[in-house]
Amino acid sequence: MMEVREEIDIQRRPSAGAMLQLIRHGHATTRADLAEQTGFGRSTVAQHVTALLAHKLLVEDAGPSSGGRPVTLLTFNTSAGVALAADLGATHSRVAVSDLAGSVLAETTADLEITLGPDEVLEWVNDRFEELLARAGRRPDEVRGIGIGVPGPIDFAAGCAVVPPIMPGWDGVPLPAYFADRYDAPVLVDNDVNIMALGEYFTNWRDRTEHLLFVKVGTGIGCGIVAGGRIYRGADGAAGDVGHIRVASDREVVCSCGNVNCLEAIAGGQAMARQLAEAGHHAEVSRDVVQLVRQGNVQAVQVVRQAGRVLGEVLASLVNFFNPAAIIIGGDVADADEQLLAGVREVIYSRSLPLATRHLRIARSALEDRAGVTGAAVLAIESALAPAVIDRAIADQAASA
Amino acid sequence: MMEVREEIDIQRRPSAGAMLQLIRHGHATTRADLAEQTGFGRSTVAQHVTALLAHKLLVEDAGPSSGGRPVTLLTFNTSAGVALAADLGATHSRVAVSDLAGSVLAETTADLEITLGPDEVLEWVNDRFEELLARAGRRPDEVRGIGIGVPGPIDFAAGCAVVPPIMPGWDGVPLPAYFADRYDAPVLVDNDVNIMALGEYFTNWRDRTEHLLFVKVGTGIGCGIVAGGRIYRGADGAAGDVGHIRVASDREVVCSCGNVNCLEAIAGGQAMARQLAEAGHHAEVSRDVVQLVRQGNVQAVQVVRQAGRVLGEVLASLVNFFNPAAIIIGGDVADADEQLLAGVREVIYSRSLPLATRHLRIARSALEDRAGVTGAAVLAIESALAPAVIDRAIADQAASA
């Protein structure tokens, strides 16, 4: 239970790892800041800062002198290692090497069918990791963490997909094992929408709120939930599966899940493409829908606008329930076009309660198609730089010295 | 931001308050347990236990000897003070004195209109507190915390209601001030559904899950959210306001909020009563509906069952989104009857995704009409016995000794 973990955490000794967090997240820039924020004495703080400097996790620079003694500014050394990140989609994947701030140093994308199965796909990922490391001029032993996003439900603790509908052959296969003999680094696995939410939250929203929703509108529709500054996964890791929420519709549409009138069967990218194809337009996948909208096709604009309204109905309910500070819309359809967002906004502001929309921001993903790979990198970095991990690394080196 | 607070918490020194939490919540019963769970040495643990014993927060008893040395069992002293709790409803209130486990020692209820305003209502609450303390044989200086639930949105930090629709005169009035000169204890204010969720969670679910929903079906419909073992309030404190989620309906019903076909306008207790009154039955308020069901009135059974199905549609969506381990249904209508739950179950299990309902429990509130007052007591107790508060009290006494 979370409470219990916190109770136990609360009793830890002064921690270099915790001080690193304060600096990384911009809450402290000097030894004096650290002393003030932690309540520990300057000599204790100085000792931990020295350890972090020795591990090259911090760098120090002379700051602007304010007339009196010069102040030394402490900065997180984002070059003290790299993260490997992969955002695996149903038919398209993106792989990157990032620094420890999550900024991409080298990346590549490819059309790749997830249905090829884990052996073939992860071999490809491994090859790309090697290539990208070389291109970025970094060594494998500089890798501090690996983050992988997959398009299906996952068991976060085990690092595997769980009965994923569009990933035959992946069920229960632990992904960390594929990387264990090549890198001495933690491997974290999450679903594609959660990593997009994490990427967007850490890059653009962390200083403004603790609670937001990231909605991905691609072939289907999914939602990543940030609550209390963390990804919320629910009791079985199934939270955020909004694509199968039933919506009102004048026609009955059977969804791939077997139920009728699920949100994604009415308003997903595939559903939009089908509607336009039925009307005689060339539209097979969600990107075709966006293409038609860009060409000024009136029917395509109407379809996307109406899908936005249907999505808005569901999100209006979730705004009343969850009261997020922001809803970020991403995925193929949203990345390319404002029409979807217009429909969403229209319904949310007319349907949700005033108290819950007073400060609500509804925005397109700023990271666009890099949200996932950025989030996968952040997932890896946050795990690799967790206070307990840093403290252990420092203690181990002190013991072996 | 929560992360930041945790980063700072993580650096605290060994804490008697944190050890008390471990014992209170059943995670430790001996000094050896405490040493194992905190990672601190036996002498450090012994010193903090001695302080907790001196403050009468713990008691020790010789446990069963296992052949070797006798083991001393440490138990939380639930008599080391009392909590005062008030669950204020629109027309009915309950006030109680509880021990530090949240068990009610003395209580009273009354029909009381919240519209009388804060002066009159809180004077009444104060009088009841005095009476009940006397009846329980406890002194005012034994009061460690006061918890108040009110039927409207609140600003938790300020302890006041915020533009509450059914509480004229209460907007922005800080309730703690009414009790400050009588009791030297923290006063916590929350809305009625949140305290019910808290009462049910702490009493019956805390050892089984971190994530649950408590749905109150009374005159209206509201929801308390427990996420990560805590009440989730959202960005503006408005989370859980599910009564105004739009539902599908063949007729158009205008809600008190101005929108049409809100959940509570279709399936709330008041809406059910109106439907039955229109059909010629005597039904003014939600309790009349329950009375008719108990008398075997077929139409009333149908109305309640159908309301359960409508509620189930909304909850099925929230199960997909939030993936709770349990949904607890309470409030006037649910407390008295299984028909509502039957409708809810029927729809949730047919509509929600298998992964999200695999382990889902749907149950009636076990505390029934005491859920609120129990939660108000728990709110006060958790605040009064927070590790930092206990540590400060021990340090203060040590300094003045």
Side-chain angles (χ1 to χ4, degrees):
Chain A
M1 292 198 5
M2 184 175 291
E3 305 162 80
V4 178
R5 285 198 304 271
E6 284 179 5
E7 285 154 21
I8 294 170
D9 281 353
I10 228 169
Q11 299 161 60
R12 291 223 184 101
R13 287 155 217 270
S15 145
M19 293 180 194
L20 177 63
Q21 294 282 82
L22 289 170
I23 292 170
R24 281 179 63 214
H25 293 163
H27 305 297
T29 54
T30 64
R31 289 172 178 80
D33 289 348
L34 288 172
E36 190 188 317
Q37 293 207 31
T38 62
F40 286 109
R42 296 190 67 122
S43 68
T44 305
V45 168
Q47 175 198 334
H48 290 294
V49 168
T50 300
L52 292 168
L53 287 166
H55 277 72
K56 305 207 185 324
L57 288 164
L58 292 184
V59 287
E60 59 182 339
D61 291 297
S65 172
S66 57
R69 288 192 304 174
V71 173
T72 305
L73 294 182
L74 299 168
T75 321
F76 172 49
N77 178 14
T78 57
S79 303
V82 294
L84 302 178
D87 175 15
L88 306 179
T91 60
H92 191 81
S93 287
R94 182 178 292 257
V95 180
V97 173
S98 84
D99 68 13
L100 296 185
S103 297
V104 170
L105 302 175
E107 67 174 336
T108 187
T109 65
D111 289 329
L112 181 78
E113 299 289 331
I114 198 85
T115 52
L116 291 172
D119 288 336
E120 200 160 333
V121 170
L122 295 178
E123 198 51 48
W124 179 85
V125 170
N126 251 322
D127 290 348
R128 296 297 83 65
F129 281 163
E130 279 178 28
E131 265 175 37
L132 294 171
L133 275 171
R135 206 198 301 166
R138 309 300 290 255
R139 299 183 315 273
D141 66 359
E142 292 181 82
V143 174
R144 286 185 170 258
I146 301 174
I148 314 278
V150 299
I154 58 105
D155 177 336
F156 186 72
C160 64
V162 180
V163 204
I166 62 164
M167 299 171 69
W170 293 75
D171 183 25
V173 177
L175 308 193
Y178 281 82
F179 304 93
D181 57 343
R182 310 190 197 208
Y183 301 99
D184 181 23
V187 183
L188 286 295
V189 181
D190 210 334
N191 77 48
D192 52 353
V193 192
N194 282 352
I195 60 169
M196 293 169 90
L198 198 61
E200 195 70 44
Y201 180 68
F202 266 77
T203 310
N204 296 315
W205 295 88
R206 200 178 45 176
D207 293 338
R208 289 185 268 175
T209 182
E210 290 188 333
H211 314 302
L212 65 75
L213 302 183
F214 183 100
V215 181
K216 178 190 177 189
V217 184
T219 304
I221 297 177
C223 177
I225 305 168
V226 175
R230 288 149 197 262
I231 293 292
Y232 174 82
R233 301 171 196 285
D236 306 283
D241 210 339
V242 302
H244 300 281
I245 288 178
R246 169 135 72 173
V247 296
S249 171
D250 43 13
R251 65 215 158 85
E252 193 155 279
V253 181
V254 178
C255 180
S256 59
C257 76
N259 263 317
V260 296
N261 294 358
C262 291
L263 172 62
E264 73 179 36
I266 304 281
Q270 192 61 53
M272 288 188 244
R274 201 184 45 241
Q275 273 180 268
L276 290 169
E278 282 166 11
H281 300 288
H282 171 73
E284 281 179 21
V285 295
S286 50
R287 287 194 177 272
D288 298 333
V289 177
V290 174
Q291 194 59 30
L292 286 167
V293 171
R294 283 186 176 154
Q295 290 163 3
N297 183 297
V298 174
Q299 227 168 344
V301 169
Q302 283 175 333
V303 163
V304 171
R305 216 14 130 103
Q306 180 55 22
R309 289 190 198 102
V310 173
L311 176 58
E313 281 284 343
V314 167
L315 293 179
S317 300
L318 298 181
V319 165
N320 283 355
F321 172 76
F322 189 69
N323 185 204
I327 295 180
I328 316 301
I329 315 272
D332 282 1
V333 181
D335 286 351
D337 176 58
E338 279 288 340
Q339 298 291 348
L340 187 80
L341 220 67
V344 167
R345 286 203 178 97
E346 178 187 325
V347 176
I348 289 183
Y349 286 119
S350 77
R351 278 303 310 186
S352 298
L353 292 170
L355 184 59
T357 52
R358 210 166 31 163
H359 305 119
L360 179 68
R361 294 277 305 276
I362 302 172
R364 234 161 71 165
S365 168
L367 293 172
E368 298 189 356
D369 50 11
R370 261 187 198 153
V373 85
T374 302
V378 167
L379 186 68
I381 293 163
E382 291 301 302
S383 169
L385 299 185
V389 174
I390 297 301
D391 291 342
R392 204 177 318 123
I394 290 176
D396 286 353
Q397 201 175 58
S400 70
Chain B
M1 291 201 3
M2 183 175 291
E3 304 162 80
V4 178
R5 284 199 303 273
E6 286 180 2
E7 285 154 21
I8 294 170
D9 281 352
I10 229 171
Q11 301 163 60
R12 290 226 184 99
R13 288 154 216 270
S15 145
M19 294 180 194
L20 177 63
Q21 294 284 78
L22 289 171
I23 292 171
R24 281 179 62 213
H25 292 163
H27 304 297
T29 54
T30 64
R31 289 170 176 83
D33 289 349
L34 289 172
E36 191 189 316
Q37 293 209 30
T38 61
F40 286 110
R42 297 191 67 124
S43 67
T44 305
V45 168
Q47 175 199 334
H48 290 294
V49 167
T50 301
L52 292 168
L53 287 166
H55 277 73
K56 304 210 185 324
L57 288 163
L58 292 184
V59 287
E60 58 183 339
D61 291 298
S65 172
S66 56
R69 287 191 306 171
V71 174
T72 305
L73 294 182
L74 299 168
T75 320
F76 172 49
N77 178 14
T78 58
S79 303
V82 294
L84 302 177
D87 175 16
L88 305 179
T91 60
H92 190 81
S93 288
R94 182 179 292 258
V95 179
V97 173
S98 83
D99 67 14
L100 295 184
S103 298
V104 169
L105 301 175
E107 67 174 336
T108 188
T109 66
D111 290 329
L112 181 78
E113 299 289 331
I114 199 84
T115 51
L116 290 172
D119 289 334
E120 200 161 332
V121 170
L122 295 178
E123 199 49 49
W124 178 85
V125 169
N126 252 322
D127 291 347
R128 295 297 83 66
F129 281 164
E130 280 180 26
E131 265 175 37
L132 292 171
L133 276 172
R135 207 201 295 168
R138 309 298 291 255
R139 298 183 316 273
D141 66 359
E142 293 181 80
V143 173
R144 284 185 171 259
I146 301 175
I148 314 278
V150 301
I154 58 107
D155 178 335
F156 186 72
C160 65
V162 181
V163 205
I166 63 164
M167 297 171 68
W170 293 75
D171 183 26
V173 177
L175 309 193
Y178 281 83
F179 304 93
D181 57 345
R182 310 189 198 207
Y183 301 99
D184 181 23
V187 182
L188 287 294
V189 181
D190 210 334
N191 78 48
D192 53 352
V193 193
N194 282 352
I195 59 168
M196 292 170 91
L198 198 60
E200 194 71 45
Y201 179 67
F202 267 78
T203 309
N204 297 313
W205 294 88
R206 199 178 46 178
D207 293 338
R208 288 184 270 176
T209 182
E210 289 188 333
H211 316 300
L212 65 76
L213 302 182
F214 184 99
V215 181
K216 178 190 177 189
V217 184
T219 304
I221 297 177
C223 177
I225 304 168
V226 175
R230 286 150 199 262
I231 293 292
Y232 174 81
R233 300 171 197 284
D236 306 282
D241 211 339
V242 300
H244 300 281
I245 289 178
R246 168 135 71 173
V247 296
S249 169
D250 42 14
R251 67 216 156 85
E252 194 154 280
V253 181
V254 177
C255 180
S256 59
C257 77
N259 263 317
V260 296
N261 294 359
C262 292
L263 172 62
E264 72 178 36
I266 304 281
Q270 192 62 54
M272 289 187 241
R274 200 184 48 243
Q275 272 181 266
L276 290 169
E278 282 167 9
H281 298 289
H282 170 74
E284 283 180 17
V285 294
S286 50
R287 287 192 177 274
D288 298 334
V289 177
V290 173
Q291 194 59 30
L292 285 167
V293 171
R294 282 183 176 158
Q295 290 163 4
N297 184 297
V298 174
Q299 228 169 342
V301 169
Q302 285 175 333
V303 163
V304 172
R305 217 11 132 105
Q306 181 55 23
R309 288 189 197 103
V310 173
L311 176 58
E313 281 284 345
V314 168
L315 293 179
S317 301
L318 298 181
V319 165
N320 282 355
F321 173 75
F322 188 70
N323 184 206
I327 295 180
I328 316 300
I329 316 272
D332 283 1
V333 181
D335 287 351
D337 178 58
E338 278 289 339
Q339 298 292 348
L340 187 80
L341 220 66
V344 167
R345 286 204 178 99
E346 179 186 323
V347 176
I348 289 183
Y349 286 119
S350 76
R351 279 302 310 187
S352 298
L353 291 170
L355 184 60
T357 52
R358 210 165 31 160
H359 305 119
L360 179 67
R361 294 278 305 274
I362 302 173
R364 234 162 71 167
S365 167
L367 292 172
E368 298 190 356
D369 48 12
R370 261 187 197 152
V373 86
T374 303
V378 167
L379 187 67
I381 294 163
E382 291 301 303
S383 170
L385 300 184
V389 174
I390 297 299
D391 291 342
R392 204 177 317 122
I394 289 175
D396 286 353
Q397 202 176 58
S400 70

